[in-house]
Amino acid sequence: MEMLVFVLASAMVLAGAIGVIVRANPVHAALSLVLTLFGVAVHFVALGAHFLAAVQVIVYAGAIVVLFLFVIMLLGVDKADDLSIEPFPIQRPLAAVVGIGLGGLLIAAIVRARDRIVEGTPLNSAGDANIKQLADNLFQDWVFAFEFTSILLIVAIAGTVLLTRKTKPDPTSKAGDE
């Protein structure tokens, strides 16, 4: 079973990496990068590094790729795509199958972990203690720095949007009225 997970995750990483290189559309290249990052997260899970897998998905596949896509969209894709034409007719059924599979995995994880979740019990394993120490450190000792960073990122995004916003010319004003 471990060998199958390793081979599938490695195939995900390689396919995504090749997709980043060969895709002409930058949005498709960014989505191929997401596949690569998810494959790396699967490798982390296989190694028992669940926190690193979660960070990989949340920070890299989530935030960093969204930032890439934001920059790509900010730079502008000048051609308009016709959404009624599907370049790959198999993508919608394949997306449905992947969505159902992910939903099934989520339900299986919840059912399997249901008996392990007991309310009111203290944290007793070393892994749980490490996560509790990390949470205490981040949300108690460094909470102001954490919140300041989030405010700084929001201000940077709002400033970028305002600076790159294109104003439409007023049709009532004349070219000489300035």
Side-chain angles (χ1 to χ4, degrees), residues 72-94:
I72 289 168
M73 294 301 166
L74 189 65
L75 294 175
V77 180
D78 293 330
K79 64 177 188 171
D81 290 334
D82 185 10
L83 297 178
S84 64
I85 300 172
E86 279 201 51
F88 305 109
I90 189 91
Q91 70 184 4
R92 288 184 194 242
L94 185 62

Side-chain angles (χ1 to χ4, degrees), residues 13-103:
V13 169
L14 289 174
I18 291 170
V20 168
I21 295 170
V22 300
R23 296 284 184 178
N25 188 335
V27 175
H28 292 160
L31 292 175
S32 293
L33 181 62
V34 171
L35 180 65
T36 301
L37 295 173
F38 274 127
V40 171
V42 171
H43 280 299
F44 282 141
V45 169
L47 291 172
H50 301 287
F51 178 74
L52 286 177
V55 168
Q56 179 76 21
V57 170
I58 294 168
V59 174
Y60 291 110
I64 300 299
V65 173
V66 166
L67 181 65
F68 286 170
L69 288 172
F70 178 72
V71 169
I72 289 168
M73 294 301 166
L74 189 65
L75 294 175
V77 180
D78 293 330
K79 64 177 188 171
D81 290 334
D82 185 10
L83 297 178
S84 64
I85 300 172
E86 279 201 51
F88 305 109
I90 189 91
Q91 70 184 4
R92 288 184 194 242
L94 185 62
V97 169
V98 169
I100 291 170
L102 286 174

